[in-house]
Amino acid sequence: MLQVTHCYKLFIVLKQKVVGCLHKQAAAERDRREQVLRAEGDKRRAELTSEGMKISMTNESEGKLIQITNEAEAEKLHILRVAEGKAEAMKIQALAQAEAIEKIAEQLGKDGGHEAAALALAKDYVKMYGEMGSKSNTMFFQESAGNAQSLVVQALASMKAMDNMPIGKSIDVGATATTETKP
């Protein structure tokens, strides 16, 4: 066991100069600790700012990648849909043309069918000459371009030649060309 037998009270009186030096030393120590804490705070703030910028840039680049991917997929889908639409339109047009050819063939087999076809052909022939005349200053005419009866006869001759000709051959209708220049 421990027994205390004496107790002393000691009062030390320091000189004012020494007290001033101790205060200065304590203030310097506080300033030093404050600077260390401030430097550590600045370092941590810089680290967090850097990490934040890195995360932000990563998110932004991933967002752009997603946007580009989505736009490319949309463009691909658009091109595919347009191509499918064109293909479907071509199928419909081909079916309509096949139906029209079938009906024309059916009508040609009836009485007066060849004459009606020749008349339609002559009509288209005259229309073609009219269109050519409106677009060019040089025109090529058959010898008797103004004679409608001659056009019908020529159309009938063409139809008869087509009946006797194998598929894929061309027809020479015996046209001769003359030129006429507009002023």
Side-chain angles (χ1 to χ4, degrees):
M1 189 138 87
L2 189 64
Q3 280 185 345
V4 177
T5 56
H6 298 334
C7 183
Y8 294 101
K9 234 180 186 188
L10 182 63
F11 288 103
I12 300 175
V13 179
L14 299 174
K15 291 185 180 179
Q16 194 64 19
K17 239 181 182 182
V18 174
V19 172
C21 286
L22 288 175
H23 284 302
K24 282 183 183 180
Q25 189 177 7
E29 184 62 27
R30 281 192 301 272
D31 287 345
R32 186 190 65 78
R33 280 191 222 138
E34 185 180 331
Q35 287 176 354
V36 168
L37 289 174
R38 190 177 302 128
E40 286 176 0
D42 289 345
K43 178 182 173 186
R44 184 68 181 143
R45 182 172 17 123
E47 288 172 353
L48 291 175
T49 301
S50 174
E51 285 179 31
M53 288 177 67
K54 180 180 174 184
I55 291 170
S56 173
M57 293 173 89
T58 301
N59 289 343
E60 188 176 327
S61 66
E62 286 175 359
K64 284 182 182 179
L65 177 64
I66 291 169
Q67 177 187 3
I68 290 169
T69 303
N70 288 345
E71 287 174 356
E73 284 295 321
E75 182 66 21
K76 177 182 170 184
L77 190 60
H78 173 73
I79 290 170
L80 182 66
R81 295 290 189 253
V82 168
E84 287 173 352
K86 286 181 181 179
E88 190 64 29
M90 288 174 70
K91 284 179 187 176
I92 292 170
Q93 197 172 20
L95 287 173
Q97 191 174 12
E99 251 183 62
I101 290 171
E102 189 177 309
K103 288 190 183 212
I104 290 171
E106 184 182 308
Q107 293 300 320
L108 285 174
K110 292 183 178 179
D111 287 338
H114 278 10
E115 290 81 10
L119 181 61
L121 187 61
K123 184 178 172 185
D124 288 344
Y125 193 67
V126 169
K127 182 180 176 185
M128 177 194 68
Y129 274 127
E131 288 176 4
M132 285 175 47
S134 69
K135 295 179 183 172
S136 173
N137 61 0
T138 303
M139 291 181 60
F140 295 93
F141 288 104
Q142 192 172 341
E143 287 179 14
S144 56
N147 186 351
Q149 184 178 2
S150 140
L151 292 176
V152 171
V153 170
Q154 186 178 8
L156 284 171
S158 297
M159 296 291 290
K160 284 180 186 174
M162 284 180 14
D163 286 342
N164 298 332
M165 182 176 288
I167 297 174
K169 298 280 183 166
S170 61
I171 303 172
D172 181 20
V173 291
T176 59
T178 61
T179 61
E180 175 182 306
T181 305
K182 290 185 180 180

